[in-house]
Structure formats: C-alpha cells, structure tokens
Amino acid sequence: MIYKTILASLTALIIAAASSFAQDSHKSGPFQGAKANTGYVTHTTESGNSVLTLSEDFKAPNTPDPHWQVVDSKGNTYLLQKLSIKGDKMNRKITVPKYVPDIAKVQIWCALAETNLGEAAFEHSVK
C-alpha cells in the first residue's frame, strides 16, 4: 500500500513538473536575415534563469565574429556571448543575464562588421 502511494505521488509530481516546464517554453518565429536565415530559438526558464536555445536546424553564418544579441520590448539591445567557439563549435544554448528585463527578439550580430545577420522574434516578449 505504501509503495502505491509513493508511486502515485511521484507520478503526480512528474506530471506537474512537465506541465510547468511546458508553460515556461516559448518558440520564436524563424530567423530572417542576409546570413542567419534558418531555424528558430526557444526560450525556457531553468532554475529561475532565462535560457535561449537554438534549434538543431539553425546554421551558423560564415562570418568572422557572430554573437548572440537580444532586443527587449523597449528596443534596447544587449550584446551577449560569441556564437562560435573553439573547435568549430557553437554556443547553441546561453543563459540570459538578469539585467535583461525581457526579450522581444534574438539577433545574430556580427561584432566585427557591426551588422545584424538575422533575427528571430517572439510573438510576445518573454521574461
């Protein structure tokens, strides 16, 4: 009897956690731009932090210094981590700093040329 109670409690906890996670997940529209025009970005909340993750079909632009950049609902921009890292790898997932109030768009920004390579917008800004 105790085993069944524990199993039922764990099942309820897992279902509650899964539905809570689903509520905190937001998918952007597709990336659109001259160099970054594939895939999308997903926003989730993990341990109280905003996390952005690029979709598997996102292709990094072949430019010298691409970075993550976010735009808040007031139009302020925040230059974040480099997209490309050592060994031809990519920062596909980043934690957004706490000082960013919300995210309306995610841009792939070339820091060398100071130009927007492409952006993906959320239907509503996310926090």
Side-chain angles (χ1 to χ4, degrees):
M1 183 69 170
I2 292 174
Y3 174 75
K4 287 182 181 181
T5 303
I6 291 172
L7 185 60
S9 297
L10 285 174
T11 303
L13 182 63
I14 290 169
I15 290 171
S19 62
S20 169
F21 177 77
Q23 292 172 356
D24 287 342
S25 179
H26 307 94
K27 181 179 169 183
S28 74
F31 273 97
Q32 298 178 345
K35 299 281 184 177
N37 50 27
T38 60
Y40 58 91
V41 65
T42 302
H43 170 268
T44 55
T45 302
E46 297 177 14
S47 301
N49 295 312
S50 286
V51 176
L52 297 172
T53 307
L54 293 168
S55 62
E56 289 297 318
D57 59 341
F58 177 84
K59 292 184 181 144
N62 189 15
T63 58
D65 200 18
H67 280 70
W68 285 83
Q69 180 165 280
V70 296
V71 181
D72 69 16
S73 59
K74 293 183 180 178
N76 299 311
T77 59
Y78 303 88
L79 186 62
L80 304 176
Q81 286 99 327
K82 279 188 80 150
L83 184 63
S84 54
I85 53 177
K86 251 184 189 175
D88 291 328
K89 294 183 181 179
M90 186 179 358
N91 275 326
R92 297 192 80 80
K93 182 176 181 178
I94 64 166
T95 300
V96 180
K98 297 276 187 193
Y99 58 80
V100 177
D102 59 31
I103 304 162
K105 298 177 188 175
V106 175
Q107 298 177 333
I108 303 302
W109 181 261
C110 181
L112 181 68
E114 296 185 352
T115 189
N116 182 358
L117 303 171
E119 67 184 24
F122 291 100
E123 187 174 341
H124 303 286
S125 60
V126 295
K127 295 183 179 189

